[in-house]
Amino acid sequence: MTTPTTSNTRIAKNTAMLYIRMLILMGVNLFAMRIVLEALGEEDFGIYSLVGGIAAFLGFINASMAAAAMRYQSYEKGLEVNRRNERGVFSSILLVQGILALFILIFGEIFGVWYVANQLNAPESRISAAQIVFQFALFQFIAKTLSTPYTSSILANEKMDIFAYLSLIEGLLQLGAAYATAYLPGNKLTNYALLMFCATAISQFTYIIIAKTQFQECRYSSSWQWCTVRSILQYSGWNLLGAFSSVCIGVGVNMVLNYFFGLIVNAARGIAMQVNAAVSSLATNFQQALNPQIIKSYAANDSAHLNSLIINGTRLCFFMLAALAVPCGIFMKPLLEIWLTEVPNYTVGFCQLILVATMFTPLSGCLMTAAMASDNIKKYQITVASINLLNIPLTIIAFKFSTNPYWAMYIMIALAFFATMARLIITRSLIKFNVRQYLWRAFSLPIVQIAILTAVFWALSPLWSNTSFSRITTAFVLTFIAEIIYIYFVCMTSAERAMLNKFIPFKKKQSA
């Protein structure tokens, strides 16, 4: 079992690798989306966002299995060496994923094809192209499903450098797909769907090859056991509820928006989702580095280290997200105007509101991982999934009485808060956890500290509205720097600053 110091060092190194990956991918993805939006136009971009989202809806099944694969492989590595059966667990996961890929294919060909043909609110002339887009998107998710055991093995072994390099390859392939779409002749929508499928297939095949050469457990063998398969299926079955509810927030609400408002609002929300993914990746990367350690600490029954990871991890994830989300939210309108040639209606509002909703993600991320480390997740998943699934009926009701599409986001924010509280209560029943310390140190105090600074920046925002590009850029950079300084000296504790200083290069040189 590694010591907390070794664990923290590994987390820091892995986080650094994931940040380098994130910064490059953020630039690649945002630039690629600008190219794609210009090449496809608002209507076709809305079709791709919606139809690709339908395939993502089917991918929620794989998301539950990916979480299960990560849990079981990390848990196995947290056990004593003489109790491990890593190859047996990997083989069990690989068997289940093969069956799952077949199920996704059959279900997608029945449900997805029917929806695109009969329910999609799009011009009749674009339906055939939308069907082709759906087929390529569906096979993208099948490729990801088959590579999940190998990707999870890379993460469970905490080889974030390998994961980062392979992710960069995938991002560059997707950028190439965007460029090619702008210049290739023919139907640009179907061309883009085909190229994105090729990019995904190549990258996922690379994950498989690298994992098989690096980790000995990544070999299928007959050592799998039915009891392990059954345990994985039971765990995944309950986890499926959580994955399904998460997809409903995105895809389900997107369908409702399409029904009431059409493709332009879908395009606006699609851009907002891309912005949110780029900004939230700051916290997601750190969370991804934390997850294996949380699960291994639970498997080793190290409650003290587990509590430290949950509380300190939550605080740092929240501050990392806030450092970029607050300036982006305040400067959203000029940033979008700089980034996009033409900003669709409602895009600014959707982007700002989705960042508010996303601020609850780091507040519950470590709680979620700790709860999922236990194999007793039935109560957790039923409760949280039930809250999240309320997004669709409440959004439909809201649109019956209002023509304001932002109501979808208001409801999402409210339910995100209630879901976080539910996670806290249920996690306390699953593990030994100091709720009072979490509520003060990891929830209330960080929110108040960031809210105060946000209010100050928002009050000053009229000073740089409707000004030149250089002045807006300068104001954004100064706001970002001011927030970093505020978080470091005001929000972080002396112990957190001391730990952070160990991994700042110039600090190391000075101490040497």
Side-chain angles (χ1 to χ4, degrees):
M1 180 66 186
T2 58
T3 64
T5 302
T6 304
S7 170
N8 291 339
T9 302
R10 184 179 298 132
I11 290 170
K13 289 180 178 178
N14 287 337
T15 302
M17 288 303 304
L18 291 172
Y19 274 156
I20 295 171
R21 161 188 175 270
M22 178 273 299
L23 289 172
I24 297 175
L25 286 180
M26 182 187 295
V28 168
N29 290 337
L30 293 178
F31 187 59
M33 197 180 74
R34 173 175 178 170
I35 297 171
V36 172
L37 183 59
E38 291 180 0
L40 299 184
E42 289 185 16
E43 187 175 88
D44 276 0
F45 183 79
I47 290 175
Y48 186 84
S49 298
L50 179 61
V51 175
I54 297 171
F57 176 82
L58 301 174
F60 81 88
I61 304 172
N62 183 51
S64 67
M65 273 305 306
M70 176 66 182
R71 186 268 174 189
Y72 277 87
Q73 288 177 303
S74 296
Y75 187 91
E76 203 69 19
K77 292 182 179 298
L79 298 173
E80 297 176 2
V81 175
N82 60 348
R83 295 176 57 199
R84 297 179 184 176
N85 181 24
E86 294 182 62
R87 182 167 292 187
V89 169
F90 175 84
S91 300
S92 300
I93 294 170
L94 191 60
L95 177 66
V96 173
Q97 287 296 108
I99 298 172
L100 178 62
L102 181 61
F103 174 80
I104 291 177
L105 176 63
I106 295 172
F107 186 78
E109 292 295 350
I110 295 173
F111 169 78
V113 172
W114 170 83
Y115 178 84
V116 174
N118 298 283
Q119 300 296 318
L120 185 66
N121 183 7
E124 187 68 28
S125 60
R126 306 306 292 153
I127 296 298
S128 60
Q131 290 284 14
I132 296 173
V133 169
F134 174 76
Q135 293 297 324
F136 283 126
L138 178 61
F139 280 98
Q140 273 186 264
F141 278 94
I142 291 175
K144 290 182 178 180
T145 299
L146 294 174
S147 67
T148 292
Y150 300 92
T151 307
S152 298
S153 184
I154 293 172
L155 296 175
N157 281 282
E158 301 184 67
K159 298 296 184 181
M160 302 304 176
D161 53 344
I162 297 176
F163 180 72
Y165 295 143
L166 295 180
S167 298
L168 290 177
I169 293 173
E170 183 175 7
L172 292 174
L173 287 171
Q174 292 176 351
L175 177 61
Y179 261 116
T181 300
Y183 295 102
L184 284 176
N187 190 312
K188 294 187 180 298
L189 178 59
T190 55
N191 285 345
Y192 181 63
L194 169 62
L195 292 170
M196 286 295 290
F197 164 72
C198 292
T200 299
I202 293 171
S203 62
Q204 299 309 307
F205 182 72
T206 307
Y207 277 113
I208 294 173
I209 296 299
I210 296 297
K212 291 184 72 171
T213 57
Q214 292 289 322
F215 312 117
Q216 294 201 2
E217 69 266 22
C218 292
R219 303 282 192 285
Y220 180 79
S221 72
S222 57
S223 62
W224 65 271
Q225 298 175 338
W226 170 244
C227 60
T228 304
V229 173
R230 183 176 60 187
S231 177
I232 293 172
L233 288 173
Q234 288 176 343
Y235 183 94
S236 301
W238 289 115
N239 198 32
L240 193 64
L241 279 175
F244 177 76
S245 64
S246 296
V247 170
C248 282
I249 295 176
V251 181
V253 172
N254 216 18
M255 291 180 181
V256 174
L257 287 169
N258 177 255
Y259 179 82
F260 282 95
F261 301 101
L263 292 173
I264 300 302
V265 172
N266 286 132
R269 192 174 186 275
I271 294 171
M273 297 300 290
Q274 293 284 343
V275 171
N276 176 63
V279 173
S280 63
S281 59
L282 276 167
T284 302
N285 285 321
F286 184 66
Q287 183 69 57
Q288 203 166 33
L290 278 173
N291 287 343
Q293 286 294 323
I294 292 175
I295 297 171
K296 291 174 185 178
S297 297
Y298 175 84
N301 200 25
D302 189 352
S303 298
H305 188 44
L306 179 61
N307 270 267
S308 175
L309 286 171
I310 293 173
I311 292 174
N312 294 328
T314 298
R315 284 173 54 82
L316 291 174
C317 280
F318 181 79
F319 290 142
M320 287 177 180
L321 179 58
L324 190 56
V326 171
C328 285
I330 293 172
F331 288 87
M332 187 58 68
K333 187 175 185 295
L335 286 176
L336 287 174
E337 290 173 347
I338 294 170
W339 174 35
L340 302 174
T341 304
E342 184 176 348
V343 181
N345 293 333
Y346 302 108
T347 302
V348 174
F350 270 115
C351 288
Q352 291 173 329
L353 290 170
I354 205 167
L355 288 179
V356 175
T358 302
M359 292 304 297
F360 286 99
T361 300
L363 293 173
S364 59
C366 292
L367 290 175
M368 191 184 308
T369 302
M372 301 303 286
S374 165
D375 59 359
N376 183 22
I377 61 172
K378 176 180 176 180
K379 182 179 179 182
Y380 173 89
Q381 291 292 11
I382 290 176
T383 303
V384 176
S386 298
I387 294 172
N388 286 335
L389 286 171
L390 290 173
N391 270 277
I392 294 178
L394 292 180
T395 301
I396 293 173
I397 292 171
F399 290 157
K400 291 290 186 181
F401 296 96
S402 174
T403 57
N404 182 358
Y406 294 143
W407 268 104
M409 306 308 302
Y410 301 149
I411 292 169
M412 181 187 292
I413 293 169
L415 292 178
F417 169 79
F418 289 116
T420 300
M421 293 297 99
R423 289 186 180 100
L424 175 61
I425 294 169
I426 297 171
T427 302
R428 175 62 184 87
S429 68
L430 295 174
I431 64 173
K432 295 178 181 178
F433 178 59
N434 192 327
V435 174
R436 187 172 298 178
Q437 189 179 30
Y438 171 86
L439 281 173
W440 172 241
R441 287 195 58 218
F443 189 85
S444 303
L445 183 59
I447 289 178
V448 171
Q449 290 172 326
I450 295 301
I452 291 172
L453 186 65
T454 302
V456 172
F457 286 152
W458 196 269
L460 295 174
S461 61
L463 296 177
W464 52 73
S465 60
N466 299 321
T467 56
S468 64
F469 169 77
S470 60
R471 186 170 180 179
I472 290 174
T473 303
T474 302
F476 177 85
V477 172
L478 291 177
T479 301
F480 178 71
I481 294 173
E483 185 158 14
I484 293 295
I485 294 172
Y486 175 83
I487 288 173
Y488 184 83
F489 288 104
V490 178
C491 300
M492 296 179 69
T493 64
S494 57
E496 290 168 342
R497 288 195 295 270
M499 185 179 75
L500 182 64
N501 289 343
K502 294 178 183 179
F503 310 108
I504 301 177
F506 75 85
K507 288 281 185 181
K508 288 184 179 180
K509 292 179 181 178
Q510 288 179 0
S511 61

